[in-house]
Amino acid sequence: MKKHLYLSIIAFIICLSATQAQNADQQYYNTFALKFHYKATSFVVDTPFPGGASQAFLLWSANVYQDSTKSSLSLDQFDASGNFISEHIVPQPGKLLPSLLPRKIIRMKSGKGYYLLGYVIQSPNLINGIPVYSTPVIIRLDQLLNQVWVQKLHFSAVSTANANALIEYNDLIEAANGDVIIAGRYSPAPAGQQINILTTRLTSAGVLVWNYQYSTNFTCNANALALTEATDNNIILTGYVELCTSGFGGPRQVLFLRLQPSGIPVTGFAYLGATTESAGTKIVKRTNVSGNDAFFISGFTDVTAPTGAVNRQVLIIDVRENGVIAGSFHVGDAGIEESNDLVIRNLGNENYLLYLTGFTTSYYTAVSKEVFFLQLRYVPGSLGLVEFSTFPQTASYTERYGLEIKAAGKDKFAILANANYIISSTSNTSTFTNVLLRDLSTTNQQCIKLHQPPVSIINLSPKQLSVSPIALSFKPYAEKYTLFQKVYPKLLCGQFFINPFDAVNSGIIEQRVAAPGTLPKVTPVTRPDIVSVYPNPASNYVFIEYGKPITAKVQAKVFGADMRLIKTVEIKDNNRQTLSLDGLPSGLYFIQVGDNNKNETFKIMKH
């Protein structure tokens, strides 16, 4: 009897391991292979559109030729297993400039489709007969990735005096009423003049509503790197302002700027403290309190070590809508840790999980930068480390850094990264795009390494900014593109699969939560009930998560390798249970979880 039970357990485990998700890494490259640098900047995890293939995510990427004078742009579509489906909107490579360089792609919330943000370099489409060197471009696509409109933004009256103005947008969001809001920086000339914050609002039809640049009393350069919308529809920006030391330059400090929906400033602050430089790279709304929302700002700060050396680390700030700081922290080790993106999960009762990506230089010598996944637990006034992991691979590359992080299923995250791969014996490098998966539910720690950087409090204080809006007379101009080549994925590590349904319904907040009734409701998707036992390998305990309805007596039984029953505990609710292995010798154990009708068995190694 014991023999048959043992064989059935082994068969179950083999079946389970064939379908269990793992951490994974997949590389994407151009069909021109090593001639082109396939460098992505943004992606979307999505749901299938009706009647179409299962769509997992989109990449918006620049394929740049090695001589830097040739480039192309691709919007690539993949299925839930990371396989290439199609490619859209690609200027033809192999020619001298012009080129289109991407910045951001987001999914529409008030409709079906996407918005893409980038900029055109030396477009052949002249404005008022004048060649404009660099022009921001916005593209609206329908759910089938067909163009709704494509247009660039520049002065209404373009002249040789303003043709080379610096107009650069870094982020875009869709407002609750369906408008598009973009933010970045502006200067009358690329160099030698002050650079100010730039914010523009357009309708979903691409009609310009308002456009302002904002100067501050610091009379230094400033830049908006990220924005979000508050519950009261005010616009909240972060980025940096420079403290003047000479001319228009100076050390950067985190920016907090609050605008009315009309673009008129409400309040602005620079956050100063025991830091040489700092900047906010992402802002996420965490509450729904009209007029008094709270936000997380992530970015970087240069902290001073006891030796006096400057050390750039991840910065997390909890700030209210009036600019008051409720808590500020930095995370990092001896090297550099820099954050590029953040998503959060609201656990209720002012408890949050924060998930970040970026790069670190603290733990590797052969690789100058390595991408990280960072998970933190926040309660007001306290920030704790849950996990800091990297994704080292055997492939030859000199650096890799995370750009964006998105929910890709329940407790699963997709990270977009770029890496400089070594492609020949002469040490030439080519930039390729990676999508990495961090599956928190898997017991297989394949393809990651865990680290323990400290989390420390940093004291920041707000310095009031006087912000003056200056209207700019911009106008949308139509732009055109040509279809061209496609890319192919290459599996590097682990099983690659993301669940777009769970990604949409997993409780992850990426930008904002609209007021009830303002946006279409997403139909809930029924997910299978899951039983999880982790970690594996274990030390003195394991966690059991029983996600199924409890209609009968549920027990967790621990068996030794000889199938001898060692202990039994009862599971009375769906909260996470802790099962002690303390006192048991190292070796193999089987943990059976379930009721009299159905059981699931997990193989656990104890160190």
Side-chain angles (χ1 to χ4, degrees):
M1 180 68 181
K2 289 184 178 179
K3 179 179 179 182
H4 292 298
L5 176 61
Y6 180 80
L7 291 176
S8 64
I9 291 174
I10 295 298
F12 172 81
I13 292 171
I14 292 174
C15 179
L16 181 66
S17 64
T19 59
Q20 185 181 38
Q22 298 177 350
N23 301 306
D25 178 4
Q26 193 148 345
Q27 174 184 302
Y28 299 93
Y29 53 93
N30 190 270
T31 53
F32 286 92
L34 305 181
K35 290 184 178 180
F36 277 83
H37 297 190
Y38 191 62
K39 186 177 182 181
T41 61
S42 188
F43 77 138
V44 171
V45 177
D46 208 346
T47 55
F49 51 81
S54 178
Q55 176 181 306
F57 59 85
L58 305 171
L59 292 176
W60 202 33
S61 310
N63 304 321
V64 184
Y65 201 71
Q66 290 175 350
D67 64 9
S68 299
T69 64
K70 304 172 184 178
S71 69
S72 66
L73 183 282
S74 58
L75 171 64
D76 306 308
Q77 181 186 4
F78 303 86
D79 66 17
S81 297
N83 298 308
F84 177 83
I85 298 176
S86 63
E87 183 174 53
H88 305 251
I89 312 178
V90 185
Q92 184 172 335
K95 296 181 178 180
L96 296 178
L97 297 173
S99 63
L100 190 152
L101 301 179
R103 280 297 176 90
K104 195 84 171 179
I105 176 174
I106 63 171
R107 181 199 307 111
M108 293 182 64
K109 295 181 179 180
S110 61
K112 296 179 179 180
Y114 309 90
Y115 287 110
L116 290 78
L117 173 66
Y119 55 98
V120 183
I121 302 294
Q122 288 188 352
S123 171
N125 301 318
L126 305 183
I127 300 179
N128 296 345
I130 297 175
V132 177
Y133 177 77
S134 175
T135 315
V137 63
I138 301 178
I139 303 171
R140 178 179 168 182
L141 303 170
D142 64 19
Q143 61 182 359
L144 299 178
L145 305 183
N146 299 313
Q147 301 177 31
V148 178
W149 46 262
V150 182
Q151 58 192 30
K152 53 191 176 184
L153 296 173
H154 212 281
F155 282 97
S156 300
V158 177
S159 65
T160 54
N162 62 28
N164 291 329
L166 174 64
I167 307 170
E168 182 181 80
Y169 295 101
N170 299 308
D171 196 15
L172 82 161
I173 63 170
E174 183 184 10
N177 69 345
D179 285 356
V180 180
I181 307 172
I182 49 181
R185 59 179 184 164
Y186 165 81
S187 180
Q193 297 193 43
Q194 181 177 340
I195 298 174
N196 289 331
I197 298 161
L198 175 65
T199 307
T200 303
R201 185 172 191 135
L202 304 98
T203 68
S204 59
V207 177
L208 198 146
V209 179
W210 50 257
N211 187 66
Y212 291 106
Q213 63 162 316
Y214 303 92
S215 62
T216 70
N217 54 313
F218 283 175
T219 65
C220 276
N221 296 331
N223 196 0
L225 301 178
L227 73 157
T228 190
E229 187 181 28
T231 302
D232 57 9
N233 303 126
N234 281 335
I235 303 161
I236 315 296
L237 296 90
T238 192
Y240 63 83
V241 292
E242 296 181 355
L243 306 181
C244 291
T245 54
S246 62
F248 296 112
R252 298 176 177 180
Q253 304 296 337
V254 174
L255 165 73
F256 179 90
L257 180 58
R258 178 184 176 191
L259 308 174
Q260 296 178 16
S262 61
I264 302 302
V266 179
T267 187
F269 295 97
Y271 294 133
L272 313 180
T275 172
T276 305
E277 280 199 322
S278 63
T281 56
K282 184 65 180 287
I283 182 167
V284 178
K285 184 171 72 74
R286 69 173 182 87
T287 64
N288 289 287
V289 183
S290 183
N292 192 30
D293 274 323
F295 305 84
F296 286 121
I297 294 177
S298 62
F300 70 83
T301 181
D302 283 335
V303 297
T304 303
T307 60
V310 172
N311 180 11
R312 181 167 289 190
Q313 298 190 357
V314 174
L315 176 66
I316 302 291
I317 303 175
D318 179 15
V319 58
R320 293 289 176 179
E321 191 169 346
N322 59 6
V324 174
I325 294 177
S328 51
F329 310 84
H330 61 96
V331 184
D333 245 319
I336 295 174
E337 281 75 42
E338 187 168 333
S339 166
N340 289 323
D341 197 16
L342 161 74
V343 293
I344 70 173
R345 173 174 292 162
N346 188 348
L347 302 177
N349 297 321
E350 288 287 287
N351 283 258
Y352 296 87
L353 288 176
L354 284 66
Y355 309 93
L356 301 94
T357 193
F359 69 87
T360 177
T361 67
S362 293
Y363 308 103
Y364 300 91
T365 55
V367 179
S368 62
K369 296 178 182 178
E370 185 57 87
V371 59
F372 70 70
F373 168 83
L374 172 59
Q375 182 182 2
L376 300 162
R377 179 73 175 259
Y378 179 81
V379 296
S382 175
L383 187 69
L385 180 69
V386 179
E387 178 184 318
F388 187 101
S389 57
T390 55
F391 298 78
Q393 300 299 321
T394 57
S396 297
Y397 59 86
T398 58
E399 67 174 26
R400 185 164 56 170
Y401 49 95
L403 297 173
E404 291 187 349
I405 182 170
K406 297 288 192 301
K410 182 176 175 55
D411 290 325
K412 189 182 296 184
F413 301 88
I415 295 176
L416 179 68
N418 284 325
N420 290 329
Y421 278 80
I422 301 172
I423 59 177
S424 73
S425 58
T426 59
S427 298
N428 291 328
T429 61
S430 186
T431 300
F432 294 115
T433 294
N434 294 80
V435 172
L436 306 105
L437 293 181
R438 180 66 186 100
D439 189 345
L440 302 181
S441 64
T442 179
T443 58
N444 189 326
Q445 299 297 310
Q446 181 181 359
C447 311
I448 68 166
K449 287 187 177 181
L450 298 176
H451 313 281
Q452 291 290 325
V455 179
S456 306
I457 294 175
I458 184 171
N459 293 317
L460 299 175
S461 58
K463 179 179 176 62
Q464 185 79 43
L465 299 176
S466 61
V467 183
S468 302
I470 304 171
L472 295 174
S473 180
F474 278 9
K475 177 182 176 181
Y477 296 88
E479 190 58 272
K480 298 179 181 179
Y481 299 103
T482 307
L483 300 181
F484 201 67
Q485 288 296 128
K486 65 176 62 175
V487 300
Y488 295 98
K490 177 182 179 182
L491 186 65
L492 297 180
C493 173
Q495 176 186 352
F496 190 90
F497 178 81
I498 64 179
N499 187 328
F501 292 103
D502 279 344
V504 173
N505 295 284
S506 61
I508 296 296
I509 305 170
E510 293 184 38
Q511 288 185 340
R512 67 177 302 277
V513 178
T518 58
L519 294 179
K521 294 183 178 180
V522 179
T523 302
V525 179
T526 301
R527 297 192 292 268
D529 297 322
I530 296 174
V531 178
S532 300
V533 179
Y534 60 94
N536 187 22
S539 52
N540 293 326
Y541 61 88
V542 294
F543 295 118
I544 300 175
E545 291 191 1
Y546 193 81
K548 298 182 177 182
I550 297 177
T551 58
K553 186 176 182 179
V554 178
Q555 293 180 322
K557 299 179 179 180
V558 181
F559 295 87
D562 59 356
M563 301 314 301
R564 177 176 57 89
L565 179 62
I566 298 174
K567 66 187 304 183
T568 301
V569 297
E570 184 176 354
I571 297 176
K572 298 181 179 181
D573 54 48
N574 294 116
N575 295 322
R576 185 174 73 172
Q577 311 285 323
T578 300
L579 177 60
S580 175
L581 303 179
D582 193 30
L584 298 179
S586 300
L588 174 65
Y589 295 89
F590 296 96
I591 299 179
Q592 186 184 81
V593 185
D595 54 30
N596 291 330
N597 295 321
K598 186 175 182 180
N599 292 283
E600 297 185 41
T601 305
F602 300 84
K603 181 173 66 174
I604 298 292
M605 288 295 300
K606 181 188 176 185
H607 287 326

